[in-house]
Amino acid sequence: MIAILVMLSLREFSVFYYYKNFGQIAYILLGCVTYSLIIIKRLDMFTAFLKDRAAILLTLVFIGLNMLILNELISQVKEGYEGSFQSGLVFLFGVIISLLGAIAVLYNQVVNSDRSLAFLFFVFCFIFSDVASLLGYYFGISFFYYIDFVSAALGLAFFIYTVLDVDNKEEEKNQLTQSY
C-alpha cells in the first residue's frame, strides 16, 4: 500500500515534467504500474468480475469506446509523441483504467460499504485527474490542471481512507466469501 501511495504521488509530480518526453512516459508508466498493482490488490473482486457476464460485457464495451476516443485524441496530438511507444502506452493505460473502473464499480455493488464507496471515489477521482492532465497538456487549456490537482488530492484522500478503514475490512471479507 505504501508503494502504491508513493507511486501515485510520484505520478502527480511527473506532471511538472510533462513538457519533456521522459515526463510524459513517467506519468503514463507510473499510472500503468500503480493501477495494475491496485488491480492485483483487488484480485478478490477480479474473480467476482469474471463471474458476472453483464460486468464483462459492459467493461468490454467501455474499453472499446475508450480505445476509439483515445485513437481520436492521439490522432489530434500526434506531434506530441515520439514513435509508437507512447501511443501504445496510452492505449495500455486506457485498458488498465477501464478494468480498474469496472472493478471499483463491481466492488461497491457487491460489498456496498463506506470503504467500497471510498475506493470507487478514489478510482474515479484519479480517472478525472488523468483525463484532465492529458487534456490540459495536449490542448493547452491550463484550467484542466486545476481539475487534475483537485481530483488527485481528493483521490489520495479517498485512497488513504480506504487503506486506513480496517474495521470494515473483515466484514467485507466475510461478505465477499458469502457472495461468490
Side-chain angles (χ1 to χ4, degrees):
M1 284 298 161
I2 292 175
I4 291 171
L5 183 62
V6 168
M7 282 194 282
L8 285 172
S9 301
L10 286 174
R11 187 187 70 99
E12 283 306 309
F13 286 121
S14 68
V15 169
F16 296 118
Y17 299 101
Y18 212 74
Y19 62 93
K20 295 183 179 182
N21 196 24
F22 79 89
Q24 294 174 8
I25 292 173
Y27 182 86
I28 296 169
L29 197 57
L30 282 169
C32 285
V33 171
T34 304
Y35 296 156
S36 295
L37 286 174
I38 294 168
I39 289 172
I40 290 170
K41 187 75 175 148
R42 290 271 29 137
L43 273 179
D44 56 346
M45 284 313 304
F46 196 70
T47 56
F49 170 75
L50 291 175
K51 293 178 182 178
D52 190 348
R53 288 190 178 132
I56 291 172
L57 180 65
L58 289 174
T59 302
L60 290 175
V61 167
F62 186 68
I63 287 173
L65 291 173
N66 196 2
M67 293 299 112
L68 289 172
I69 291 169
L70 285 174
N71 189 38
E72 183 63 31
L73 288 175
I74 287 174
S75 69
Q76 290 181 10
V77 295
K78 198 69 158 174
E79 67 278 351
Y81 291 125
E82 293 180 20
S84 61
F85 174 71
Q86 283 178 288
S87 298
L89 206 54
V90 168
F91 284 116
L92 176 65
F93 191 57
V95 169
I96 292 171
I97 285 176
S98 299
L99 284 174
L100 184 63
I103 288 173
V105 168
L106 190 63
Y107 174 44
N108 189 49
Q109 184 181 9
V110 170
V111 175
N112 198 15
S113 68
D114 290 344
R115 188 170 188 257
S116 67
L117 186 63
F119 184 78
L120 180 71
F121 286 153
F122 150 67
V123 168
F124 281 102
C125 281
F126 269 94
I127 289 173
F128 290 141
S129 172
D130 293 332
V131 170
S133 67
L134 293 173
L135 290 175
Y137 177 76
Y138 287 113
F139 294 110
I141 305 170
S142 58
F143 176 74
F144 282 115
Y145 288 119
Y146 296 114
I147 295 171
D148 169 35
F149 289 119
V150 169
S151 295
L154 284 172
L156 281 173
F158 285 123
F159 177 73
I160 291 171
Y161 176 81
T162 301
V163 170
L164 295 179
D165 187 13
V166 293
D167 294 336
N168 288 331
K169 194 173 186 177
E170 281 300 316
E171 185 178 315
E172 286 180 5
K173 280 185 182 178
N174 294 334
Q175 196 171 0
L176 282 173
T177 55
Q178 290 172 0
S179 296
Y180 291 96

